[in-house]
């Protein structure tokens, strides 16, 4: 292999490394008897996506409140509508570094004014 080809190869390799590292997505997933939840944080855009999906058997859901409780990840809200969608999609931006979040995040969820459940989300 010629010196020119070696120099080109050596100059391109660091670019592949940088491209591979810059698009890192951090994620947490969990499931309980009635709910599944995911958190995905795209490090390059500081955008965090939260998804909560009901997997139980109740036909009608009312007044859903949720709270994600982690060391770095915190999000809470209330969904009070007559028509519950298949899943709740929440997006937020944060300047916090999600890489420092612990390996487990809790989701405390309440629905139908009486049920409460904790979902443990594990870091992938």
């Amino acid at each position: 292999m010629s010196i020119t080809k070696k120099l080109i190869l050596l100059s391109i390799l660091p670019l592949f490394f940088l491209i591979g590292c810059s698009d890192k997505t951090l994620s947490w997933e969990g499931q309980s008897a009635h709910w599944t939840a995911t958190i995905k944080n795209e490090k390059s855009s500081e955008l965090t996506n939260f998804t909560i999906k009901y997997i139980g058997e109740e036909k009608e859901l009312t007044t859903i409140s949720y709270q994600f409780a982690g060391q770095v990840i915190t999000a809470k809200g209330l969904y009070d509508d007559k028509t519950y969608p298949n899943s709740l999609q929440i997006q937020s931006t944060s300047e916090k570094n999600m890489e420092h979040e612990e390996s487990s995040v809790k989701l405390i969820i309440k629905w139908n004014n009486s049920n409460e459940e904790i979902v443990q989300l594990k870091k992938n």
Side-chain angles (χ1 to χ4, degrees):
M1 186 182 281
S2 71
I3 291 186
T4 307
K5 287 183 181 178
K6 286 182 182 179
L7 288 174
I8 291 172
L9 184 61
L10 287 174
S11 65
I12 292 175
L13 281 176
L15 291 175
F16 286 119
F17 178 74
L18 289 174
I19 290 169
C21 292
S22 66
D23 222 14
K24 187 174 183 184
T25 300
L26 301 171
S27 64
W28 292 259
E29 294 181 357
Q31 181 172 329
S32 65
H34 298 96
W35 299 92
T36 63
T38 60
I39 303 170
K40 293 192 179 199
N41 174 260
E42 296 179 31
K43 185 179 171 186
S44 60
S45 69
E46 297 177 348
L47 180 67
T48 304
N49 292 303
F50 299 88
T51 303
I52 303 170
K53 184 174 182 180
Y54 182 70
I55 57 172
E57 296 186 17
E58 293 179 53
K59 299 290 183 213
E60 198 171 305
L61 301 178
T62 59
T63 314
I64 301 165
S65 68
Y66 60 89
Q67 178 179 359
F68 289 92
Q71 183 179 4
V72 176
I73 296 172
T74 56
K76 63 182 178 178
L78 177 69
Y79 187 84
D80 191 14
D81 196 341
K82 299 291 181 208
T83 57
Y84 175 71
N86 188 27
S87 63
L88 294 176
Q89 302 284 331
I90 305 112
Q91 277 191 343
S92 70
T93 57
S94 175
E95 294 180 16
K96 297 177 182 177
N97 187 343
M98 300 295 178
E99 286 183 302
H100 297 300
E101 181 58 76
E102 296 177 0
S103 62
S104 180
V105 174
K106 277 186 194 175
L107 165 60
I108 303 162
I109 191 158
K110 298 177 185 178
W111 72 101
N112 290 357
N113 296 320
S114 63
N115 300 326
E116 178 177 316
E117 200 159 287
I118 296 177
V119 182
Q120 290 289 340
L121 288 84
K122 300 290 182 189
K123 193 174 191 178
N124 294 332

